[in-house]
Amino acid sequence: MTLSPSGSSVEEAEEFLAAHPEIEAIDIVLSDANGIGRGKIIRRHELVGLYRNGRHLPISILGLDIVGEDVHETGLIWDQGDGDLRAWPVPGTLKPLHGTTPPRAELLMSMYSLDGVPMSSDPRHALTRQVEAMAGEGLFPAGAFELEFFLLDPDMSAGVRPAPAVLDGRRSDWTEVYSVDHLHGMQPLFSDIYRAAEAMGIRAETVISEYAPGQYELTLDYRTDVMQAADDLVRLKRIVRMQARRHGVTACFMAKPVEKYAGSGMHFHVSLQDGTGRNIFAEAVEGVWTDTIRHALGGLRQTMGESMLVFAPHANSWRRFVGQSYAPVSPSWGVNNRSVALRIPAGELKARRIEHRPSGVDASPYLVGATILAGIRHGLAQRIDPGPETTGNGYEGADDLPMPRDWREAIDRATASEFLKEALGADMHRTFTAIKAAEHARVARWIADVDYALYLHNV
């Protein structure tokens, strides 16, 4: 018997199959650098063998671009002969999928070399490295992601702009922010989303109608294990997409699908605990900030510019960053202020945390989590002062730590960043930046409709 380097056990598979005789197949899912689930659907009888021996997958699966094509510059394709590595189950992630016919389950996977060493271009391992580094310093991060997304009409034929989806015959092209009645029209879909999340052991909580027609937000319960928080987000996105298809609508996780409305973020709420479980961000007297939270803010501010490619990884991601849009345009911090990048929410002292707001919903939560934890560690180690709090309108005024102006600059800064190389690991950093450079080249070659609209008859 081969011992699983992930810590998974054959007993988990056997107990699951005994408890779920209805399950006929299992989706095995590995997240790549773009946050896309890659893998296979295996049959029921293959599950125990997968837990016993792992499953061979080509190394190139971690060197793909957004549309699943090889990026040779990653060094993961022909430089390696596109050989196989071995994927192993992530313990505790084998769960039934709600509403599938025939019944299926889902299992998250992580990649290892054939001798059991973690494959360093796997995003999960990047987050694990930072969690383990913090544990070595006596620090234990906790957190939760927020999921914003659009539900759109599936008619996306040529020339048709995305329109809000409807289930009850009532289409609204207005913002409808926080409208409870508007939510009622999507209640059948959200009921299935909640059932599917419960079957996965995901504690999905509040749903709201967000700040654009057809936009919604789901919040997730706070986890004392940030890897579990990232897994929650990955799985909830798959749930929303799957259940939306069942109800005849399209779930959209683009950062900015509609030009005149706010985009979709993936805010990460993070705090730090000591070995006793005490939140060390919490101040003794409200508003008298601890050095810990101040230095964490300082590290996140200082490293944000060179890290923006992780938080905004695609061409469309950069359309989200405009003034008065609820997306931050500078590495500012503030208290109870949604115009800043790093927000300390109002609330009980014991729940004191930093809300990191730059990431779009199109980012990988594993890479986002790894980068944020590394930024916090950097701030604590160097005792970095965050500077004065931003009050009022955070979109006004310049910052002494400017953000990249566009995607190309973000790629250049990320590629040259020693901080990001340490945060992600050298191999993951090389893989990620190479994939983004290839994606930029693809977009740069594309002749968009706007080119014809502006220039065809005018130059």
Side-chain angles (χ1 to χ4, degrees), residues 127-168:
L127 180 53
T128 297
R129 285 180 64 251
Q130 292 300 327
V131 171
E132 290 178 348
M134 276 197 157
E137 297 160 2
L139 302 173
F140 304 91
F145 289 91
E146 296 175 1
L147 180 67
E148 295 179 354
F149 56 95
F150 282 77
L151 294 174
L152 302 176
D153 190 301
D155 181 8
M156 298 288 286
S157 53
V160 176
R161 283 287 183 175
V166 293
L167 292 181
D168 63 352

Side-chain angles (χ1 to χ4, degrees), residues 315 407-408 436-448 451:
W407 190 31
R408 176 72 260 178
K436 293 298 103 183
E439 187 179 341
H440 182 275
R442 178 192 290 270
V443 172
R445 292 192 299 267
W446 199 296
I447 307 301
D451 286 30

Side-chain angles (χ1 to χ4, degrees), residues 136-401:
E137 297 160 2
L139 302 173
F140 304 91
F145 289 91
E146 296 175 1
L147 180 67
E148 295 179 354
F149 56 95
F150 282 77
L151 294 174
L152 302 176
D153 190 301
D155 181 8
M156 298 288 286
S157 53
V160 176
R161 283 287 183 175
V166 293
L167 292 181
D168 63 352
R170 174 185 173 269
R171 168 167 281 139
S172 172
D173 292 319
W174 300 104
T175 301
E176 302 276 13
V177 66
Y178 278 81
S179 168
V180 176
D181 287 344
H182 183 66
L183 291 175
H184 290 168
M186 287 291 171
Q187 195 56 43
L189 169 54
F190 279 109
S191 292
D192 273 331
I193 289 171
Y194 281 120
R195 290 190 190 100
E198 184 178 5
M200 287 276 184
I202 298 170
R203 296 193 289 269
E205 296 188 331
T206 305
V207 60
I208 65 171
S209 178
E210 258 291 357
Y211 203 66
Q215 188 185 35
Y216 302 87
E217 178 187 89
L218 276 167
T219 61
L220 287 157
D221 189 42
Y222 216 69
R223 296 288 199 180
T224 55
D225 177 353
V226 294
M227 181 65 80
Q228 193 170 28
D231 287 344
D232 283 351
L233 194 285
V234 164
R235 304 191 93 157
L236 189 58
K237 282 180 72 172
R238 286 176 54 78
I239 286 168
V240 170
R241 183 176 281 118
M242 184 182 301
Q243 299 304 324
R245 287 197 191 107
R246 291 183 65 221
H247 286 266
V249 303
T250 296
C252 175
F253 298 104
M254 291 170 62
K256 184 78 168 182
V258 184
E259 64 268 22
K260 65 180 180 178
Y261 289 103
S264 292
M266 189 181 70
H267 304 162
F268 183 42
H269 294 250
V270 60
S271 60
L272 283 184
Q273 298 178 349
D274 63 16
T276 69
R278 180 178 65 91
N279 181 0
I280 60 175
F281 278 175
E283 67 271 26
V285 177
E286 187 165 6
V288 181
W289 310 114
T290 65
D291 285 345
T292 307
I293 199 169
R294 284 181 55 79
H295 297 326
L297 289 165
L300 291 171
R301 286 196 71 235
Q302 189 177 93
T303 59
M304 190 175 294
E306 60 199 292
S307 303
M308 280 303 298
L309 185 63
V310 172
F311 309 141
H314 307 294
N316 178 260
S317 309
W318 289 83
R319 302 188 188 281
R320 178 171 158 259
F321 298 110
V322 295
Q324 327 299 324
S325 66
Y326 293 97
V329 296
S330 67
S332 51
W333 76 277
V335 182
N336 196 23
N337 186 337
R338 286 183 170 83
S339 68
V340 299
L342 302 167
R343 171 178 175 250
I344 299 179
E348 296 180 87
L349 295 185
K350 66 180 182 179
R352 187 63 73 216
R353 63 195 185 276
I354 296 170
E355 179 187 7
H356 186 278
R357 297 174 58 82
S359 298
V361 74
D362 54 345
S364 162
Y366 302 115
L367 299 185
V368 167
T371 305
I372 290 172
L373 295 188
I376 291 173
R377 289 181 59 226
H378 176 70
L380 297 180
Q382 302 298 320
R383 300 185 63 81
I384 298 172
D385 190 304
E389 172 193 347
T390 295
T391 58
N393 188 349
Y395 294 106
E396 295 178 348
D399 195 286
D400 60 344
L401 296 169

